[in-house]
Amino acid sequence: MAQANLLSIVVFLPLIGAIAAAFFPAAEPKQHKALALVVTLATFGASLGLWFGFDASPGAPEFQAVVHVPWIPALGVSYHVGLDGVALLLVMLTTALTPIVVLSAWNAVQERVKEFMIAILVLETAMIGSFAALDLILFYVFWEGVLIPMYLLIGIWGSENRLYATVKFFIYTFVASVLMLVAIIYVGAKAGGTFDYVQVRQALEVSASAQRWLFLAFAVAFAVKVPMFPLHTWLPDAHTEAPTAGSVILAGVLLKMGTFGFFRYALPLFPEAALHYRPAVAALAVIGIVYGALMCLVQKDMKRLVAYSSVSHMGFVMLGLMALTAEGLTGGVYQMLNHGVSTGALFLMVGMLYERRHTRLIAEYGGVARQVPWIATAFVIVTLSSIGLPGTNGFVGEFLILSGTWLARLASAPWFSAVGATGVILGAVYMLLLVERVFFGALSNEKNRTLLDLSLREWVVITPLVALIAVMGFFPQPFLDPARPAVDRLLGRFAAVEHRLEERDPGRPPTTGTQPPALAGRE
Amino acid sequence: MTGLSPTDLAAMLPIAILVAGALVLLMSEVFLTSGRRGFMAGITVAAAALAGLAALLAPPAGRVFGGQAVVDGFSVFVTVTVCGGLALSALVGAQWLHARDAERGEFYALALFAAAGMSLLGSAADLLMTFIAIEVMSLATYALAAYMRRGRKPAEAAFKYFVLGAFSSALLLYGTALVYGVTGSTLFSDFARGSGALLVIGLGLVGAGLAFKIAAVPFHLWTPDVYEGAPTPVTAFMAAGVKTAGFAVLVRVLMAVWGGAVMGSARFGAVAAALAVLTMLFGNLLAVPQRSVKRMLAYSSIAHAGYLLVGVVSAGAAGARESALSSVLFYLAAYTATVIGAFAVVGAVERTDVRAEPADAWDLSRLAGLARRRPGLAFVMAVFMLSLAGIPPTAGFVGKFLIFKAAINAQAYGLAIIGVLTSALGAYYYLRVVVYMYMRAPEAGEEGALALGPALSVALAASAVAVVVLGIGPGPIADLARAASMLTQ
């Protein structure tokens, strides 16, 4: 029970902080910064209690720290929250990144600090809430709740073209989400008038064609958020125009809401439709990997480059999920965390350079490693993580995904795996080119001769992320363990569906789970 | 039907209170010697509150006046919603009129008369009663629309409203005559007695007359001009009250048609569904290019009529009737709180000297940088816009959720999908208001602070609180709406 209350505290503490901030005077920006930092750190501290209290053994209940109280009983809507291992990891990612984001905005945000901090805090509640929700309507409320503060973050504190970017971001995600709302209402009606996730998952009985439509409605909403090719076009604009803090949260957490949505909702609720559409989704994921990487090669703007690299990396996550093997799913989950850490760190450092030079154009830099050796060092480490060098977290994730895909019982899975692997190579190319063009070579631009290296505050911002990269690279097990029961349950669910499909259609070859790894068996 | 029984009179108590309040205000204007009129809004609010309480506390009387009116949970819900809208509008009006030196007892008296007509419409179970109630409501609102008739736009608005309103009343009356000719009765419950094309035509004319009142496409053409030209508090009251009353009577008529198995009743459903689609589509599409916030809200009110129609259409499926009717009632309550709040903000930022620049008195640029000049005002406006767009956690979201849930229960999947897609379109122009308030600098010369009087502040706070409370804890009101969805025919 204490655990349960703790989860509600973690969800709503930032919101309470935001409400409190409303009563502080706007003319005192320092108070708002301090308040936001204290609240987000306290939230992180509280979430550590969830982390240590989580039981990852196979016999443990699926959802832990559960609170289940009626909210609108007449409509079958309840306040039902709880965490499985995957949600736990993403909640931890959120609570860990947010104080870093607050700290990173310390000097970058000069105007309307009060509103900025309130937006960040409201955003944190909405993000944690959407990972913790176990009721479809509650989930939808948090899911939409993310949009407004993010919309304000880009629209008020963004750069020149912010209005276009923020409206595009909002309309894209909103249109896709409202279709999901229709699907949610339909699901609730078919599951006997309840929107409770656990009950719906058990009770939902719909025809095969209805299931396909429902899967599509959910999948499109999530695919926009991921973003998957070809629904990604809002992302480069949003990232480029967003303030650093917005980019970090967007890349670090918001994109995971899409992949988490696949893992939690689209796959387990509509398994047969998921099997039906799996090759298409996997193909789009691979296209996204390669396309994102190719787009990176031609970018002139650092932020845009990192944004397109997100398209590529999130493609890996989707590929891992679609493999429906233990390795693929685990790798997908792990890569969600990695991407949050390493892309978040990349955006932070691009933001640091931007604060110093007020430009994000790669051509404006060159050879700055001489001036700012520590920034360069941190950037190189993060780059190595981003391209998946062994010893960094990125390697663990990408290796699991690619091997999991190779072994998947999915038509032409080795091709997916092989083409996806070219994304790793291209990733090394564009990231190392970026490092080379920004940090190494001759210090040609005079304006770069006066750059200052990391300040104490920036050390505090970047060190935890760099440390996390190393820890997650060398000791992945503590981060893989919590995800395991959730991954096994999902696979078990699909195995049951396979069984049912085979009864209906004898002789149907299984399509989930792992192939025997021997190549000889493949012929 | 000989004489009036005490039950009949008791059932009409809320309406009597509203009318009494109006008379008191009219008489006070005769005897008043000083120029102080601050108390008038207070009397109006008190009358509205008393009437609402009387409606809530009185035992449901069922059929009264020989079956011509019905007092049931539905009518009580409508009366309370109308009274709430009246009280909020009166508070908004107090400051607006005071700033223009136009505060008179007639204004509040007319509003009270209009509310009496609206409440009566919620109870009407007879076409003649409907006609009388509509006329009581409409004559008062025509006069209200013309209350500040100086200037080209107000005069045009008032005249247009009167002419088209009279036209729609004529349609209604003609339809009534045809129905009476076929069935020998004007009671809704007697529709089933008749059959044949004449009855269908008569009911169609009645429906067209009502469609004017609720501003459904293609009967909406008066709405933008009238909403823009009428004094802002009046617009708020019309958008909330006339819509609520119009939908109340439309629901009763259609329920009688569907319940009584009138020939071609399925086709009425199809026509209403088509109207719903057109209304949602055009209301939203036409709102997109508007620069005037007031005009944008006018088109948005058309769009909202479309969503409400989705709820009404869903009530045609027997299995979804309860959820559909309760969703319509909830939506009306949510819309009342939201739209009056939104118009209150529009009224607060609008130029006092309308004659100077009539064209851009309500231009979006009036809202530019509002978040810096008046953070509180900008925040509540943002809340109202999010609610109109149907974004959680606001009343508007719960309203849309209930409506679309009803549509899905009724297996009207197409209506639900068109509904959510058009509401995404709506998000675009509602958010533009937020963009102007939060993301643009104030126009030169507009940096000065706006004065907010206590009455307006109370109205804004009350509607904002209502919008948020209905969004986060909709349970009690949703239960009330559910209980009120059992119609006594």
Side-chain angles (χ1 to χ4, degrees):
Chain A
M1 199 59 214
Q3 274 277 307
N5 288 329
L6 192 58
L7 180 55
S8 292
I9 290 171
V10 170
V11 172
F12 287 108
L13 193 59
L15 185 65
I16 293 167
I19 293 169
F23 294 100
F24 284 74
E28 299 273 2
K30 284 213 174 100
Q31 290 182 8
H32 289 284
K33 292 176 191 172
L35 178 74
L37 188 63
V38 168
V39 170
T40 49
L41 281 175
T43 311
F44 177 63
S47 68
L48 282 178
L50 295 172
W51 173 260
F52 290 114
F54 190 81
D55 181 0
S57 60
E62 179 175 12
F63 296 109
Q64 300 177 22
V66 173
V67 187
H68 195 171
V69 287
W71 178 23
I72 320 172
L75 306 177
V77 180
S78 54
Y79 174 75
H80 189 187
V81 292
L83 295 175
D84 62 2
V86 175
L88 174 74
L89 287 167
L90 291 169
V91 167
M92 295 307 296
L93 178 70
T94 312
T95 57
L97 269 181
T98 317
I100 293 177
V101 163
V102 169
L103 206 53
S104 80
W106 211 258
N107 295 339
V109 173
Q110 300 280 1
E111 287 213 340
R112 298 160 90 175
V113 175
K114 176 179 176 175
E115 286 100 325
F116 182 86
M117 293 303 169
I118 290 178
I120 296 268
L121 289 173
V122 173
L123 189 57
E124 187 177 15
T125 282
M127 292 186 299
I128 301 174
S130 44
F131 294 130
L134 286 177
D135 180 281
L136 293 170
I137 294 298
L138 186 67
F139 167 72
Y140 185 80
V141 167
F142 281 124
W143 169 272
E144 290 284 44
V146 168
L147 287 187
I148 299 296
M150 197 65 215
Y151 165 78
L152 294 176
L153 277 181
I154 301 176
I156 300 181
W157 293 277
S159 39
E160 304 81 46
N161 214 359
R162 59 182 181 272
L163 291 185
Y164 168 76
T166 197
V167 171
K168 188 169 177 182
F169 159 77
F170 191 95
I171 297 297
Y172 246 89
T173 23
F174 191 67
V175 170
S177 313
V178 292
L179 289 175
M180 180 170 73
L181 179 63
V182 175
I184 287 177
I185 297 174
Y186 183 87
V187 164
K190 291 291 166 186
T194 178
F195 291 97
D196 187 88
Y197 171 71
V198 181
Q199 289 178 31
V200 163
R201 202 175 54 179
Q202 273 167 4
L204 187 63
E205 286 289 341
V206 292
S207 68
S209 71
Q211 211 187 83
R212 284 182 192 174
W213 284 110
L214 291 171
F215 177 83
L216 282 181
F218 274 77
V220 168
F222 296 140
V224 165
K225 204 79 151 197
V226 170
M228 292 190 72
F229 181 88
L231 301 172
H232 66 281
T233 59
W234 61 271
L235 182 86
D237 289 315
H239 264 315
T240 315
E241 304 301 331
T244 302
S247 298
V248 175
I249 291 189
L250 195 56
V253 183
L254 253 58
L255 305 190
K256 275 83 217 171
M257 288 170 58
T259 43
F260 173 77
F262 274 100
F263 189 89
R264 167 65 67 77
Y265 296 100
L267 294 179
L269 286 181
F270 319 111
E272 290 167 38
L275 288 179
H276 178 76
Y277 286 113
R278 182 160 69 129
V281 180
L284 286 177
V286 171
I287 293 175
I289 293 173
V290 177
Y291 166 84
L294 289 175
M295 289 303 282
C296 283
L297 287 173
V298 296
Q299 296 307 317
K300 297 186 173 66
D301 182 314
M302 285 192 275
K303 252 185 150 177
R304 236 182 151 76
L305 190 153
V306 181
Y308 274 111
S309 83
S310 286
V311 176
S312 184
H313 286 145
M314 294 309 282
F316 274 110
V317 177
M318 284 309 299
L319 183 62
L321 295 186
M322 286 303 134
L324 288 176
T325 57
E327 292 83 356
L329 285 168
T330 315
V333 172
Y334 203 63
Q335 193 66 6
M336 287 191 219
L337 301 181
N338 295 338
H339 180 258
V341 172
S342 58
T343 308
L346 282 178
F347 273 121
L348 283 172
M349 278 183 294
V350 171
M352 288 175 191
L353 291 175
Y354 181 77
E355 269 181 59
R356 287 165 169 73
R357 281 290 323 277
H358 295 282
T359 176
R360 296 179 306 251
L361 292 180
I362 298 168
E364 287 284 319
Y365 296 90
V368 295
R370 253 169 262 242
Q371 262 332 103
V372 288
W374 284 115
I375 294 185
T377 311
F379 202 98
V380 169
I381 295 174
V382 177
T383 298
L384 297 179
S385 148
S386 179
I387 64 182
L389 194 83
T392 64
N393 54 355
F395 173 73
V396 182
E398 285 180 353
F399 178 78
L400 282 172
I401 288 171
L402 290 175
S403 57
T405 308
W406 183 273
L407 300 174
R409 288 195 171 107
L410 173 66
S412 53
W415 281 106
F416 286 136
S417 187
V419 179
T422 62
V424 181
I425 301 165
L426 287 171
V429 172
Y430 65 75
M431 281 311 293
L432 292 175
L433 270 178
L434 173 71
V435 168
E436 195 242 276
R437 281 152 66 192
V438 170
F439 289 100
F440 299 112
L443 187 59
S444 48
N445 194 331
E446 281 303 314
K447 288 183 195 153
N448 291 331
R449 289 198 184 277
T450 53
L451 291 188
L452 296 173
D453 210 347
L454 290 175
S455 71
L456 179 64
R457 180 181 58 83
E458 289 168 336
W459 271 106
V460 177
V461 166
I462 207 68
T463 313
L465 294 176
V466 172
L468 212 51
I469 285 171
V471 171
M472 289 176 70
F474 285 109
F475 309 105
Q477 213 53 46
F479 302 93
L480 293 171
D481 283 340
R484 190 163 182 92
V487 166
D488 287 345
R489 281 201 175 84
L490 185 61
L491 285 173
R493 188 164 292 281
F494 271 96
V497 170
E498 294 270 26
H499 190 69
R500 213 165 54 226
L501 287 176
E502 208 193 333
E503 275 178 357
R504 209 181 299 159
D505 174 20
R508 179 182 180 278
T511 53
T512 61
T514 312
Q515 292 264 26
L519 276 174
R522 190 178 282 278
E523 292 300 335
Chain B
M1 215 210 296
T2 48
L4 295 173
S5 71
T7 0
D8 291 359
L9 291 177
M12 289 298 126
L13 187 60
I15 292 164
I17 291 173
L18 292 172
V19 173
L23 294 177
V24 167
L25 282 165
L26 281 182
M27 291 313 286
S28 77
E29 196 61 45
V30 175
F31 294 110
L32 203 65
T33 45
S34 80
R36 297 163 64 89
R37 286 180 167 80
F39 67 94
M40 288 179 162
I43 291 183
T44 315
V45 173
L50 272 179
L53 268 182
L56 273 178
L57 297 180
R63 298 161 69 98
V64 290
F65 295 125
Q68 288 189 311
V70 168
V71 177
D72 54 6
F74 188 82
S75 75
V76 170
F77 199 99
V78 170
T79 304
V80 172
T81 308
V82 165
C83 289
L86 171 68
L88 286 174
S89 312
L91 288 174
V92 176
Q95 165 157 359
W96 196 89
L97 294 171
H98 187 71
R100 285 155 186 78
D101 198 19
E103 199 172 15
R104 298 282 180 281
E106 294 92 309
F107 179 86
Y108 300 107
L110 285 168
L112 281 162
F113 281 132
M118 292 165 188
S119 302
L120 198 56
L121 265 181
S123 300
D126 176 279
L127 286 172
L128 276 181
M129 182 65 102
T130 305
F131 180 72
I132 291 167
I134 279 197
E135 286 307 292
V136 170
M137 171 183 85
S138 301
L139 288 174
T141 41
Y142 299 150
L144 279 174
Y147 188 75
M148 301 278 283
R149 68 197 168 284
R150 282 179 296 277
R152 196 176 55 79
K153 281 208 170 185
E156 183 194 339
F159 193 67
K160 200 172 232 173
Y161 193 34
F162 176 67
V163 170
L164 281 171
F167 182 62
S168 75
S169 298
L171 285 181
L172 185 75
L173 202 55
Y174 192 47
T176 305
L178 286 179
V179 172
Y180 182 75
V182 176
T183 64
S185 160
T186 51
L187 290 177
F188 295 169
S189 50
D190 287 341
F191 288 165
R193 276 207 215 157
S195 61
L198 266 187
L199 180 65
V200 173
I201 294 172
L203 288 173
L205 286 172
V206 169
L210 294 178
F212 264 107
K213 290 291 166 203
I214 60 167
V217 175
F219 306 102
H220 68 288
L221 295 165
W222 56 275
T223 317
D225 290 335
V226 173
Y227 274 32
E228 193 183 35
T232 308
V234 175
T235 313
F237 185 51
M238 286 199 302
V242 176
K243 190 149 285 172
T244 304
F247 267 100
V249 69
L250 184 69
V251 162
R252 281 203 202 268
V253 168
L254 279 175
M255 285 307 115
V257 169
W258 282 319
V262 174
M263 184 201 87
S265 64
R267 238 171 296 160
F268 279 107
V271 170
L275 284 186
V277 170
L278 285 177
T279 310
M280 290 189 289
L281 213 57
F282 282 94
N284 280 306
L285 278 176
L286 295 174
V288 169
Q290 304 303 328
R291 290 266 330 160
S292 156
V293 181
K294 214 171 166 187
R295 227 177 153 78
M296 180 273 275
L297 285 174
Y299 279 109
S300 113
S301 90
I302 298 173
H304 285 279
Y307 302 124
L308 283 160
L309 274 173
V310 170
V312 175
V313 172
S314 309
R321 185 149 301 169
E322 191 198 59
S323 67
L325 290 185
S326 60
S327 76
V328 168
L329 286 176
F330 187 95
Y331 202 99
L332 285 169
Y335 184 68
T336 296
T338 313
V339 80
I340 293 180
F343 275 117
V345 178
V346 171
V349 301
E350 129 183 18
R351 275 181 225 278
T352 11
D353 185 11
V354 182
R355 268 163 299 173
E357 285 179 76
D360 61 7
W362 309 283
D363 192 85
L364 269 171
S365 62
R366 296 285 298 149
L367 291 167
L370 194 66
R372 287 176 201 224
R373 290 151 66 205
R374 298 294 310 213
L377 195 61
F379 179 74
V380 293
M381 186 64 166
V383 169
F384 299 139
M385 288 299 121
L386 295 183
S387 177
L388 288 174
I391 293 166
T394 58
F397 166 69
V398 180
K400 287 220 170 73
F401 169 61
L402 292 172
I403 291 262
F404 297 137
K405 189 165 182 273
I408 284 171
N409 282 344
Q411 306 196 326
Y413 304 124
L415 282 180
I417 289 172
I418 294 172
V420 294
L421 287 179
T422 53
S423 74
L425 186 65
Y428 174 74
Y429 56 82
Y430 295 125
L431 282 178
R432 196 166 47 189
V433 173
V434 179
V435 166
Y436 270 82
M437 292 192 304
Y438 279 89
M439 303 171 194
R440 286 188 188 244
E443 304 266 301
E446 302 282 1
E447 286 89 353
L450 297 153
L452 286 191
L456 187 58
S457 306
V458 169
L460 283 172
S463 11
V465 167
V467 166
V468 173
V469 167
L470 283 181
I472 293 175
I477 303 290
D479 288 343
L480 279 180
R482 182 168 287 262
S485 62
M486 310 293 182
L487 295 186
T488 311
Q489 279 298 345

